Amino acid sequence: MTEHLMKILIVGDGNVGKSSFVHRYVNGQFNKMYKMTVGVDFSVKLLHWSDKEKVRVQLWDVAGQERFISMSRIYYKGASGCVIMFDVSSSSSFLSCRHWKQDLDNKAMLPNGDPIPCILLANKCDLAQRVVSADSINTFSKANGFVTWMETSVKENKNVGEAMRRLVQEILST
Ligand code: GDP
């Protein structure tokens, strides 16, 4: 039995659903009043990936920022993958994804110098008031080297596990 340890970062503007995502993924719940943590925090989930492989996912969430700030290199150190999240009802949170991706690529890389696998998540897809179109997300995702992009709703538990599985699969294959 092989056990892989993966440090996965989750970044994006404040209020897009990062803490809720981590909470949902790790505990399988959606809690509206989930307490905002201060500073860096990580949660752990053990995946029984195959007969021969387990994956211990460490999900690092930086909570408490309202807008883009350049993150410390310490946060990025040793990361195997990243989730960049925005809120489909907030165009500014989508625009910030460019900065988050640039910051990531500047500060984190695989031992061979390649960028680390990163998935783009369009969260809150349950909301009617969408302002970011699928076309623009698709174009942005392709132009900026994301593994892929997915719509998620942490509220309705849509694509939370699927998104993480896609990212873990990509990390295992790199
Ligand atoms: P963070 O600042 O990025 O960590 O965002 P939070 O996890 O604190 O979530 C911000 C707000 O968005 C909270 O009120 C959540 O309940 C809400 N939220 C998170 N995910 C969803 C979702 O998929 N749909 C809807 N409608 N609300 C969500």
Side-chain angles (χ1 to χ4, degrees):
M1 181 67 75
T2 311
E3 188 176 308
H4 306 275
L5 174 66
M6 289 180 189
K7 173 178 173 180
I8 297 180
L9 313 174
I10 176 158
V11 298
D13 282 4
N15 209 44
V16 299
K18 301 182 300 297
S19 307
S20 305
F21 181 88
V22 173
H23 201 236
R24 169 73 92 184
Y25 180 63
V26 174
N27 305 320
Q29 296 168 18
F30 181 78
N31 185 346
K32 272 174 109 172
M33 300 305 289
Y34 186 61
K35 200 170 129 257
M36 207 188 226
T37 48
V38 178
V40 179
D41 204 1
F42 71 82
S43 306
V44 179
K45 181 158 171 142
L46 188 64
L47 304 177
H48 299 275
W49 192 257
S50 70
D51 292 346
K52 297 195 179 92
E53 289 171 301
K54 282 185 192 171
V55 178
R56 190 175 294 273
V57 175
Q58 269 187 3
L59 207 45
W60 289 57
D61 175 26
V62 172
Q65 73 244 344
E66 296 311 318
R67 60 194 168 81
F68 172 76
I69 47 162
S70 182
M71 300 299 308
S72 142
R73 282 179 193 273
I74 302 287
Y75 176 64
Y76 289 111
K77 199 171 154 51
S80 331
C82 184
V83 173
I84 296 183
M85 179 178 280
F86 68 96
D87 167 354
V88 291
S89 71
S90 156
S91 55
S92 65
S93 74
F94 176 57
L95 291 174
S96 293
C97 291
R98 184 179 302 280
H99 301 291
W100 289 113
K101 185 66 164 69
Q102 280 168 358
D103 198 46
L104 175 74
D105 290 344
N106 285 335
K107 292 176 184 165
M109 56 184 76
L110 296 174
N112 68 4
D114 285 347
I116 66 169
C118 184
I119 191 167
L120 179 66
L121 298 186
N123 192 38
K124 306 197 189 181
C125 69
D126 57 283
L127 293 178
Q129 61 270 32
R130 299 181 57 131
V131 297
V132 187
S133 73
D135 266 358
S136 53
I137 305 168
N138 204 25
T139 305
F140 173 76
S141 169
K142 286 191 173 133
N144 289 275
F146 286 90
V147 170
T148 190
W149 73 275
M150 284 169 96
E151 283 191 351
T152 57
S153 168
V154 176
K155 184 177 183 181
E156 295 181 348
N157 199 13
K158 187 182 164 205
N159 277 346
V160 172
E162 288 81 354
M164 289 300 294
R165 269 198 293 282
R166 182 68 188 84
L167 181 59
V168 167
Q169 189 181 56
E170 187 69 23
I171 294 167
L172 287 173
S173 71
T174 52

